C-alpha cells in the first residue's frame, strides 16, 4: 500500500524516510530561511480503510511555508519639551518611531546644526530617546 506522493511545498525542502511513500514512510518538511511553517512538519503514510478497501493516506494535510513578512514596529518615542534656544524639526506632540531620529536645531543666528536624538528600543521593551540636548546653551 502506498500514499500519493506529496506535491511540492513552496519555500521548503521535503525529505522522505523511504524513496517510495509506502505505509510507515515519514515526510519531513523543513522551511527555507525567511519562511515559517504553517501546519505539521512531520507527516506519516498510514493505512486508511474504506469499507472493504484499504489504501494509504497521509496523517496530516500538506503544510505550507509562508514567507515571513517584516513586522512594523509600532513602538515610538515622544518628544520632550523644547529646551531654551532649541527648535525641534517635528510637529508638536509627534511620535518618533524606533530606530529613527528626532532632529533639532539651535536658535543661533550664525549657525544651523542638526543634532539627532535616536529612538531606541530598550531591553525591557519600552522606547526611549537617546542623545544629548545640551548643545544649545
Amino acid at each position: 500500500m502506498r500514499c500519493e506522493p506529496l506535491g511540492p511545498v513552496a519555500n521548503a525542502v521535503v525529505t522522505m524516510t523511504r524513496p517510495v511513500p509506502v505505509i510507515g514512510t515519514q515526510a519531513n518538511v523543513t522551511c527555507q530561511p525567511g519562511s515559517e511553517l504553517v501546519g505539521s512538519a512531520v507527516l506519516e503514510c498510514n493505512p486508511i480503510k474504506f469499507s472493504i478497501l484499504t489504501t494509504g493516506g497521509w496523517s496530516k494535510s500538506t503544510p505550507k511555508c509562508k514567507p515571513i513578512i517584516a513586522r512594523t514596529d509600532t513602538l515610538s518615542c515622544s518628544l520632550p519639551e523644547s529646551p531654551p534656544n532649541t527648535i525641534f524639526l517635528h510637529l508638536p506632540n509627534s511620535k518618533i518611531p524606533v530606530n529613527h531620529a528626532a532632529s533639532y536645531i539651535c536658535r543661533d543666528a550664525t549657525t544651523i546644526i542638526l543634532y539627532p536624538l535616536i529612538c531606541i528600543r530598550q531591553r525591557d521593551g519600552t522606547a526611549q530617546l537617546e542623545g544629548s540636548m545640551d548643545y544649545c546653551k
Side-chain angles (χ1 to χ4, degrees), residues 38-50:
V38 178
S40 179
V42 179
L43 291 80
E44 187 168 348
C45 181
N46 293 327
I48 298 175
K49 188 167 185 155
F50 294 105

Side-chain angles (χ1 to χ4, degrees), residues 80-103:
E81 290 292 318
S82 291
N85 301 319
T86 302
I87 302 170
F88 276 110
L89 301 178
H90 302 276
L91 293 173
N93 301 319
S94 63
K95 300 280 188 178
I96 307 302
V98 167
N99 298 328
H100 286 76
S103 298

Side-chain angles (χ1 to χ4, degrees), residues 36-94:
E36 60 186 352
L37 183 69
V38 178
S40 179
V42 179
L43 291 80
E44 187 168 348
C45 181
N46 293 327
I48 298 175
K49 188 167 185 155
F50 294 105
S51 63
I52 60 169
L53 177 66
T54 301
T55 185
W58 293 105
S59 58
K60 302 206 165 71
S61 59
T62 304
K64 295 180 179 0
C65 290
K66 291 189 175 184
I68 297 171
I69 298 170
R71 292 172 175 87
T72 303
D73 198 337
T74 58
L75 200 58
S76 62
C77 297
S78 297
L79 289 177
E81 290 292 318
S82 291
N85 301 319
T86 302
I87 302 170
F88 276 110
L89 301 178
H90 302 276
L91 293 173
N93 301 319
S94 63

